[in-house]
């Protein structure tokens, strides 16, 4: 007996790739796609929400928030201007610095390789101890990452900053200072582009390094959502804060939102507002 075989094709929708130059028609910057971009990827939809901008003014400061809702292929931003302004990354550079440490072998195991405390007392007490890579990123220990950068060295650091296509790629200003007081600059859209490539394990380095860095990123749980994020604070090591960052991604079930926030933190009270404000912005756009 003959029969009919029914074949069912299931088409899975894969979110298009976010690319730095195609993200914001809301930024005046964009015309040229970077080399890694797909030639025919349409720009994501963009939306400016003034209610997000109001959250900064209500705190008595200035800042910007940009969220990329991956499954919706939607960029939601608080403004058109500051969201495209490049600034020093401060300790958000610990994300690429950790990747580079692992790729170069400066760190082989984020839980076993120990960086001994140099005995210098610093104003942030959590820095005054021995650290592994995992514990160092958790407390944002600048001296540990400065030592990592020195061990990586200028030539290899430049090679990997270029390879990762991180910000303006300029590591001038000292091998252990370029992300703190030197020439490196990155804007919120570039932050999202970089972090999204890490989230997708799409950076041009080993999957192992990407898996390990994603694993050591500090985690905040909000209800049934998870936020993996790295903070940054310019002037933290000098006790003179000026600009705060928060970059990472939120997971709510199967939905992912990659985000970047920066804000002026010229008053001490504002330093602790980075994560609460990030959560408020993520909640407003339905990311958590």
């Amino acid at each position: 007996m003959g029969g009919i075989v029914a074949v069912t094709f299931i088409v899975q929708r894969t979110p298009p790739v976010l690319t730095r130059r195609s993200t914001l028609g809301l930024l005046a910057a964009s015309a040229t796609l970077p080399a890694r971009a797909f030639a025919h990827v349409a720009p994501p939809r963009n939306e400016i929400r003034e209610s997000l901008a109001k959250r900064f003014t209500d705190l008595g400061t200035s800042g910007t928030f940009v969220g990329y809702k991956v499954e919706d292929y939607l960029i939601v931003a608080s403004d058109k201007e500051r969201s495209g302004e490049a600034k020093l990354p401060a300790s958000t550079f610990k994300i690429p610095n950790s990747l580079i440490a692992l790729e170069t072998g400066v760190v082989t195991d984020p839980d076993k390789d120990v960086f001994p405390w140099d005995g210098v007392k610093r104003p942030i007490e959590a820095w005054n101890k021995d650290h592994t890579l995992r514990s160092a990123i958790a407390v944002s220990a600048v001296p540990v990452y400065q030592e990592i950068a020195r061990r990586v060295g200028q030539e290899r650091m430049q090679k990997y900053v270029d390879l990762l296509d991180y910000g303006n790629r300029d590591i001038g200003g000292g091998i252990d200072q370029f992300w703190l007081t030197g020439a490196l600059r990155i804007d919120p859209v570039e932050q999202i582009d970089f972090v999204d490539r890490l989230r997708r394990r799409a950076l041009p380095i080993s999957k192992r390094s990407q898996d390990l860095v994603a694993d050591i990123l500090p985690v905040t749980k909000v209800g049934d959502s998870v936020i993996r994020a790295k903070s940054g604070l310019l002037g933290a090591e000098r006790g003179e804060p000026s600009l705060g960052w928060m970059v990472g991604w939120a997971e709510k079930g199967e939905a992912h939102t990659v985000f970047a926030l920066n804000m002026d933190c010229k008053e001490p009270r504002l330093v602790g507002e980075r994560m609460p404000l990030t959560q408020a912005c993520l909640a407003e756009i339905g990311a958590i």
Side-chain angles (χ1 to χ4, degrees), residues 47-209:
E47 184 181 319
I48 300 292
R49 288 196 191 175
E50 293 182 2
S51 56
L52 292 171
K54 187 175 183 295
R55 293 183 179 276
F56 293 93
T57 54
D58 285 351
L59 274 177
T61 191
S62 298
T64 187
F65 172 85
V66 184
Y68 168 45
K69 302 190 75 175
V70 176
E71 284 71 27
D72 297 335
Y73 205 34
L74 172 67
I75 298 281
V76 183
S78 61
D79 63 277
K80 293 181 181 180
E81 293 78 30
R82 183 159 172 161
S83 56
E85 292 176 4
K87 300 181 183 296
L88 277 159
S91 283
T92 65
F93 186 72
K94 287 185 173 70
I95 302 176
N97 209 358
S98 296
L99 292 166
I100 294 165
L102 289 161
E103 282 294 289
T104 57
V106 165
V107 174
T108 56
D109 188 317
D111 294 301
K112 293 180 180 177
D113 294 7
V114 175
F115 290 84
W117 178 39
D118 61 7
V120 178
K121 287 281 287 184
R122 295 177 176 87
I124 299 176
E125 188 58 38
W127 296 359
N128 300 326
K129 56 182 286 191
D130 296 352
H131 277 290
T132 61
L133 195 66
R134 187 184 297 274
S135 69
I137 200 168
V139 299
S140 207
V142 168
V144 172
Y145 278 87
Q146 289 180 307
E147 176 61 20
I148 286 171
R150 288 190 289 266
R151 293 186 190 181
V152 170
Q154 189 84 14
E155 186 176 337
R156 289 193 297 178
M157 183 66 77
Q158 186 66 69
K159 170 190 167 183
Y160 278 99
V161 169
D162 286 342
L163 184 66
L164 297 173
D165 194 10
Y166 187 87
N168 67 355
R169 307 183 184 188
D170 190 339
I171 66 169
I175 188 61
D176 57 4
Q177 286 292 326
F178 65 85
W179 68 94
L180 299 167
T181 60
L184 189 62
R185 297 290 184 276
I186 191 166
D187 66 45
V189 179
E190 291 169 329
Q191 289 271 30
I192 287 176
D193 171 72
F194 172 73
V195 170
D196 188 54
R197 285 183 286 142
L198 170 61
R199 181 191 67 82
R200 292 185 288 110
R201 310 299 194 266
L203 293 166
I205 56 175
S206 70
K207 183 176 181 295
R208 176 183 182 270
S209 294

Side-chain angles (χ1 to χ4, degrees), residues 11-17 70-71:
V11 178
Q12 292 185 324
R13 178 174 173 268
T14 302
V17 175
V70 176
E71 284 71 27

Side-chain angles (χ1 to χ4, degrees), residues 184-259:
L184 189 62
R185 297 290 184 276
I186 191 166
D187 66 45
V189 179
E190 291 169 329
Q191 289 271 30
I192 287 176
D193 171 72
F194 172 73
V195 170
D196 188 54
R197 285 183 286 142
L198 170 61
R199 181 191 67 82
R200 292 185 288 110
R201 310 299 194 266
L203 293 166
I205 56 175
S206 70
K207 183 176 181 295
R208 176 183 182 270
S209 294
Q210 296 178 79
D211 285 343
L212 288 172
V213 172
D215 181 62
I216 67 174
L217 276 179
V219 169
T220 302
K221 294 186 178 180
V222 183
D224 60 352
S225 300
V226 173
I227 300 171
R228 303 180 192 278
K230 183 67 197 78
S231 61
L233 187 63
L234 282 185
E237 69 285 356
R238 301 188 305 275
E240 301 170 0
S242 57
L243 175 82
W245 279 101
M246 193 67 71
V247 304
W249 69 88
E251 304 167 0
K252 183 181 181 182
E254 296 300 312
H256 296 80
T257 301
V258 190
F259 63 86

